C-alpha cells in the first residue's frame, strides 16, 4: 500500500531568510484581529508562499545531500583502492631497504669497504688494481641508485598519503555543512507548517475561510488532461475502508503528505465550493467538464475562490490536518454530485483517465 512519487519542483530554490517563530496549532491560531497585514489574507499568502519555497529548498538540500553522500561512498571506495596502492608502496620500500642491507653486507664482505688508497697499496698487479676499482665503482653505483630509488618511493608515499587525507577531510567537511543546511531548512519548514496549520484551525473554528492565498504557479510539463492531486505521497486510508472516525465507510482516498504540500486540481473545472468548517475542515469542491466532482479536504490553506476556473495541475491549496483528522493528509473524493453520499472509488476513476496511483 505504500507508494512513492518524488519530483523536485521546477521553481528555483531560494534559501528563505525569514525566521518563523516556533508554534503549534493551538498557539499559532490567529484571531483575525490586529493591524492590516497582521494575521490577514496578505500575511497568509506570505506564509503559504514561504512554506512552498521551503519545500523547494528542502527538496534541493536533500538532493544535494544525497549527491554528496553518493560522492562520499565513491570517495570511500577510492580511498580503499588508494590504501591498497599505498600498502604495496610500503612493501616495495621495505624490499628496497632489505636490498640496501644486502648490498652493504656484500660490499663489506668483498672488501668494498676498504679505502681506495689501501686497495692501491695492497694490489699485487695493475690488473688486480683495475678489477678492484671496477668492482668498487659498480658497487657504489648500485648503492647510490638503490638509495635514490628508496628516497623517491618514500617521498611519493608521503605525498599520496597527504593527498588522500586532505581529500577525505574536505569531503567530510562538505558533508557536515550540507547536513547542517538540510537540518536548518527542515526545522524552518516544520515551524512554518504548524503556523500555517494554526491559522487554518482558527478559520475552521470560526466556520469562515480567511480568503484565497495566491501561490506562484510553477510551469508544468503535464501532457494528460488529468493528474494526481499531489506530486509526492503515500496512500493511506482507502475508499470503503472502515474506521471509528467515519459513520459508515471511508468515502475517499487519503494521501499521507506533510502540512503545506501543494494540492493540485486533478482536471479542468470550476470551483463550486470553498468551506472552512465541519468534519472536512478546510475543503474545496471542483466540478469538472465531464460532470464529475472532486473534493480536497483537511487543507491548511486554499488558493482559489468559489466559482473560479481551474486547470489541470493548478495548485488550488495546501494540505493540512484541519477538521476531523488524525494527522496531516489530503482526503480526496470523487463524486457524482457536489454533495456527500455520491462518492465513487477515486483510484479506478483516476486510472481510467490515465493516472494510475501506486
Amino acid at each position: 500500500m505504500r507508494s512513492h512519487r518524488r519530483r523536485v519542483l521546477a521553481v528555483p530554490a531560494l534559501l528563505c531568510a525569514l525566521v518563523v517563530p516556533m508554534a503549534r496549532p493551538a498557539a499559532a491560531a490567529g484571531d483575525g484581529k490586529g493591524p492590516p497585514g497582521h494575521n490577514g489574507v496578505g500575511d497568509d499568502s506570505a506564509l503559504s508562499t514561504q512554506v512552498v519555497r521551503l519545500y523547494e529548498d528542502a527538496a534541493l538540500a536533500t538532493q544535494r545531500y544525497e549527491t554528496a553522500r553518493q560522492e562520499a561512498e565513491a570517495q570511500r571506495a577510492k580511498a580503499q583502492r588508494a590504501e591498497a596502492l599505498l600498502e604495496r608502496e610500503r612493501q616495495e620500500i621495505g624490499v628496497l631497504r632489505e636490498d640496501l642491507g644486502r648490498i652493504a653486507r656484500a660490499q663489506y664482505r668483498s672488501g668494498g669497504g676498504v679505502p681506495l688508497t689501501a686497495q692501491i697499496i695492497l694490489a699485487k698487479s695493475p690488473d688486480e688494481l683495475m678489477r678492484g676499482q671496477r668492482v668498487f665503482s659498480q658497487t657504489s653505483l648500485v648503492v647510490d641508485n638503490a638509495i635514490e630509488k628508496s628516497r623517491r618511493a618514500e617521498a611519493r608515499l608521503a605525498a599520496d598519503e597527504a593527498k588522500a587525507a586532505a581529500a577525505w577531510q574536505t569531503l567530510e567537511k562538505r558533508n557536515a555543512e550540507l547536513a547542517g543546511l538540510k537540518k536548518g531548512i527542515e526545522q524552518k519548514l516544520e515551524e512554518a507548517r504548524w503556523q500555517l496549520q494554526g491559522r487554518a484551525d482558527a478559520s475552521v473554528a470560526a466556520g469562515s475561510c480567511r480568503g484565497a492565498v495566491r501561490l506562484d504557479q510553477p510551469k508544468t510539463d503535464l501532457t494528460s488532461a488529468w493528474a494526481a492531486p499531489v506530486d509526492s505521497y503515500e496512500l493511506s486510508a482507502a475508499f470503503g475502508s472502515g474506521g471509528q472516525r467515519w459513520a459508515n465507510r471511508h468515502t475517499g482516498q487519503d494521501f499521507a503528505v506533510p502540512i503545506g504540500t501543494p494540492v493540485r486540481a486533478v482536471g479542468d473545472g470550476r470551483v463550486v465550493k470553498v468551506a472552512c468548517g465541519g468534519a472536512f475542515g478546510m475543503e474545496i469542491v471542483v466540478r469538472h467538464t465531464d460532470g464529475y466532482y472532486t473534493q480536497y479536504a483537511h487543507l491548511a490553506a486554499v488558493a482559489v475562490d468559489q466559482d473560479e476556473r481551474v486547470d489541470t495541475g493548478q495548485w488550488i491549496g495546501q494540505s493540512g490536518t484541519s477538521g476531523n483528522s488524525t494527522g496531516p493528509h489530503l482526503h480526496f473524493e470523487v463524486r457524482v454530485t457536489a454533495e456527500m453520499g455520491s462518492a465513487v472509488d477515486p483510484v479506478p476513476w483516476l486510472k481510467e483517465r490515465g493516472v494510475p496511483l501506486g
Side-chain angles (χ1 to χ4, degrees), residues 91-102:
Q91 292 174 0
E92 290 174 1
I93 289 173
V95 171
L96 286 173
R97 287 173 176 168
E98 290 179 2
D99 288 345
L100 283 173
R102 284 196 296 270

Side-chain angles (χ1 to χ4, degrees), residues 70-278:
Q70 293 173 358
E71 289 178 358
E73 291 297 326
Q75 183 66 26
R76 184 175 289 107
K78 184 178 179 181
Q80 290 173 347
R81 292 193 298 270
E83 181 60 30
L85 292 174
L86 292 174
E87 181 58 31
R88 283 201 294 271
E89 289 182 10
R90 294 187 189 100
Q91 292 174 0
E92 290 174 1
I93 289 173
V95 171
L96 286 173
R97 287 173 176 168
E98 290 179 2
D99 288 345
L100 283 173
R102 284 196 296 270
I103 291 170
R105 288 192 297 272
Q107 185 181 19
Y108 179 79
R109 287 194 299 269
S110 63
V114 179
L116 179 59
T117 302
Q119 291 184 34
I120 294 173
I121 294 172
L122 297 174
K124 297 178 181 180
S125 67
D127 290 339
E128 184 178 352
L129 176 61
M130 293 300 294
R131 285 196 301 273
Q133 287 181 326
R134 190 163 48 250
V135 169
F136 178 80
S137 298
Q138 290 175 347
T139 302
S140 296
L141 182 61
V142 169
V143 171
D144 290 344
N145 288 341
I147 291 174
E148 182 60 27
K149 185 177 181 181
S150 176
R151 286 174 178 171
R152 288 197 303 268
E154 289 179 351
R156 186 172 60 252
L157 173 62
D160 290 344
E161 288 178 333
K163 184 178 179 180
W168 188 250
Q169 289 174 359
T170 300
L171 187 62
E172 285 188 328
K173 181 180 178 181
R174 181 189 174 196
N175 285 354
E177 290 172 350
L178 287 173
L181 176 65
K182 179 173 178 285
K183 182 178 180 181
I185 292 173
E186 289 174 346
Q187 183 177 355
K188 286 183 179 180
L189 176 58
E190 184 67 8
E191 293 168 357
R193 282 171 179 161
W194 285 108
Q195 188 174 10
L196 184 67
Q197 181 61 48
R199 295 183 182 182
D201 290 341
S203 295
V204 171
S208 175
C209 294
R210 298 164 63 85
V213 299
R214 297 302 174 178
L215 301 173
D216 293 334
Q217 298 292 323
K219 293 181 179 179
T220 60
D221 55 357
L222 297 174
T223 57
S224 172
W226 301 91
V230 285
D231 272 336
S232 177
Y233 57 84
E234 290 184 19
L235 294 177
S236 50
F239 178 82
S241 58
Q244 296 180 352
R245 301 186 70 85
W246 308 305
N248 295 301
R249 291 287 178 175
H250 193 227
T251 54
Q253 173 63 57
D254 285 352
F255 294 79
V257 289
I259 294 169
T261 301
V263 174
R264 308 187 301 186
V266 298
D268 295 345
R270 188 175 298 280
V271 178
V272 297
K273 182 180 182 182
V274 176
C276 295

